[in-house]
Amino acid sequence: MNFYNSTHQHYCGIDLHARSLYVCIIDQAGDTLLHKEIPARPESLYNLILPYLDDLVIGVECMHCWYWLSDFCEEQAIPFILGHVLYMKAIHGGKTKNDRIDSYKIAALMRGGNFPLAYVYPREMRATRDLLRRRTRIVRHGADLKAHVANTTSQYNLPPNRVNLKNYGACEQLRSTFDQPDVQRNIDLDMNILECYHRELSKLECHLEQQAKRHRPVDFSLLKTIPGIGRILALTILYEVGDIQRFESVQKFASYARLIKCKAESAGKTYGTQGNKIGNAHLKWAFSEASVLYLRGNPGAQKLLQRFQKRMSKAKALSALAHKMGRAVYFMLKNKYPACWRASIP
């Protein structure tokens, strides 16, 4: 975890909400210069902080509505930092908690060099990343709909259907499966939503690919050369990583991607692991999927997995393979040079 340790004349802590801001500005001595609630509008904030713009840093806790504030600070050339929610215990662990206290604590953490930093994602790629995440949620909802169709067939003790729900013509067979009108209408509802999803997602994936070729064409091409990583996984890794240069080492990248576990130790004793949920869940999913796909039709990779399984379970062996793939991806993106992929990862 990195902490903000730059010094300024003024530190502005903002407790951010969708419709309001509670602003606190303190100086180097820790004296409170301003403490006020204002509407969440750029002009209101600018007028409030105008007397302190000579040397000011603005910090907020990372939540869903920080985008406009980051863009505002970029336009005004004001340093902007995000606080990592899981590490800001000084705010969440207090006996009394309100907007006024939270804004002061944020400013005090910045002044004391204890403000835990989260990554401010680049403005030009931010909306595309959110669009890709939206696609993932829709695909998972589509999988739930397909499971509902299969479960309804079992619920009425009918023979299991072998219909490929990705095929529109095959899906039409399910529109006359059940005798009861309400049950059939339930299935038709699933089919109609899946048809809409298939149509819209096809256009969306083409758009995302064009955006990737515009934002980072070299990285996108490199990722697609890796066995087991196709178009969607390459897009996910590309937009979730952002700028690979922000990771100083491969260990920090693996930690961010949830590919490693950290031991919990005290007084020479190990109490298992902790922090497994800290990091990027989308990267964890992408590398886990890639490790499974990498094994398909790859005897060398299968031998590597068997070697791992001699000293660990299959689940841990797959995690170790995902970790190796993550390390390889890191150096490929860092050096902008394709790795030499043999039958197994070295």
Side-chain angles (χ1 to χ4, degrees):
M1 172 52 56
N2 297 320
F3 295 91
Y4 188 77
N5 51 22
S6 299
T7 58
H8 299 268
Q9 292 183 10
H10 305 107
Y11 301 89
C12 177
I14 298 179
D15 191 50
L16 182 62
H17 298 279
R19 297 290 177 262
S20 65
L21 309 174
Y22 214 109
V23 182
C24 176
I25 299 180
I26 63 176
D27 58 15
Q28 287 182 335
D31 298 328
T32 302
L33 306 178
L34 185 147
H35 218 169
K36 185 177 181 181
E37 185 177 12
I38 60 173
R41 292 197 298 267
E43 58 274 11
S44 300
L45 179 61
Y46 181 79
N47 293 332
L48 189 68
I49 65 175
L50 185 59
Y52 313 98
L53 287 181
D54 52 343
D55 189 10
L56 177 73
V57 58
I58 293 179
V60 299
E61 186 179 9
C62 185
M63 58 176 298
H64 72 281
C65 54
W66 63 267
Y67 288 2
W68 74 269
L69 186 56
S70 173
D71 297 342
F72 165 80
C73 292
E74 182 180 352
E75 293 168 359
Q76 302 298 330
I78 302 173
F80 174 81
I81 54 177
L82 273 179
H84 199 296
V85 177
L86 296 179
Y87 288 96
M88 299 188 74
K89 300 290 182 67
I91 291 179
H92 304 294
K95 185 174 181 179
T96 303
K97 186 180 186 304
N98 55 50
D99 297 345
R100 183 179 181 86
I101 294 176
D102 290 351
S103 61
Y104 173 78
K105 286 183 177 180
I106 292 173
L109 287 174
M110 289 190 292
R111 172 180 169 268
N114 297 314
F115 188 83
L117 292 174
Y119 181 55
V120 181
Y121 200 87
R123 181 178 185 177
E124 62 274 8
M125 297 173 57
R126 191 190 302 149
T128 309
R129 181 195 62 169
D130 291 346
L131 188 59
L132 181 61
R133 290 181 176 181
R134 180 68 173 173
R135 176 208 168 269
T136 301
R137 288 192 289 269
I138 291 176
V139 168
R140 290 174 179 171
H141 182 243
D144 292 338
L145 295 177
K146 295 174 184 177
H148 178 258
V149 173
N151 293 337
T152 305
T153 303
S154 302
Q155 188 177 20
Y156 288 89
N157 198 26
L158 296 177
N161 58 73
R162 304 297 181 185
V163 176
N164 184 3
L165 296 180
K166 294 182 180 180
N167 190 329
Y168 177 75
C171 291
E172 291 298 315
Q173 301 176 16
L174 294 174
R175 298 189 182 276
S176 58
T177 303
F178 300 92
D179 297 330
Q180 300 182 36
D182 287 345
V183 179
Q184 185 60 53
R185 192 180 184 91
N186 200 349
I187 298 300
D188 291 344
L189 178 62
D190 291 339
M191 293 297 100
N192 293 335
I193 297 175
L194 285 171
E195 179 186 350
C196 178
Y197 279 178
H198 177 71
R199 182 177 63 251
E200 295 299 324
L201 288 177
S202 297
K203 296 185 289 185
L204 176 59
E205 289 166 4
C206 292
H207 170 74
L208 290 171
E209 186 173 10
Q210 293 300 320
Q211 289 292 91
K213 292 179 180 178
R214 184 173 66 88
H215 288 142
R216 298 189 185 275
V218 176
D219 292 351
F220 185 57
S221 299
L222 286 174
L223 288 170
K224 289 197 297 181
T225 63
I226 303 174
I229 295 183
R231 179 175 63 168
I232 299 302
L233 291 181
L235 287 169
T236 302
I237 296 172
L238 176 70
Y239 281 101
E240 294 301 331
V241 170
D243 185 7
I244 193 65
Q245 303 300 329
R246 67 188 176 105
F247 299 102
E248 298 176 0
S249 64
V250 65
Q251 290 83 1
K252 291 186 177 181
F253 175 76
S255 176
Y256 178 76
R258 297 189 183 183
L259 298 176
I260 58 175
K261 294 184 178 180
C262 300
K263 290 183 179 180
E265 297 179 340
S266 180
K269 296 181 180 179
T270 302
Y271 299 93
T273 60
Q274 67 178 17
N276 299 335
K277 299 298 182 181
I278 297 177
N280 192 302
H282 303 278
L283 282 177
K284 171 64 175 177
W285 168 82
F287 285 118
S288 299
E289 290 289 320
S291 63
V292 175
L293 296 173
Y294 179 67
L295 294 170
R296 292 183 180 179
N298 193 337
Q302 295 169 7
K303 290 181 181 179
L304 176 63
L305 185 68
Q306 292 173 1
R307 191 166 76 243
F308 286 157
Q309 287 184 255
K310 292 180 180 179
R311 50 190 175 89
M312 61 184 71
S313 64
K314 185 176 181 179
K316 290 184 178 179
L318 287 172
S319 296
L321 182 60
H323 183 200
K324 283 187 172 290
M325 294 195 72
R327 293 175 65 91
V329 166
Y330 171 81
F331 288 111
M332 288 179 64
L333 296 179
K334 194 85 169 181
N335 301 324
K336 297 292 187 291
Y337 191 82
C340 181
W341 290 85
R342 299 191 294 272
S344 63
I345 300 178

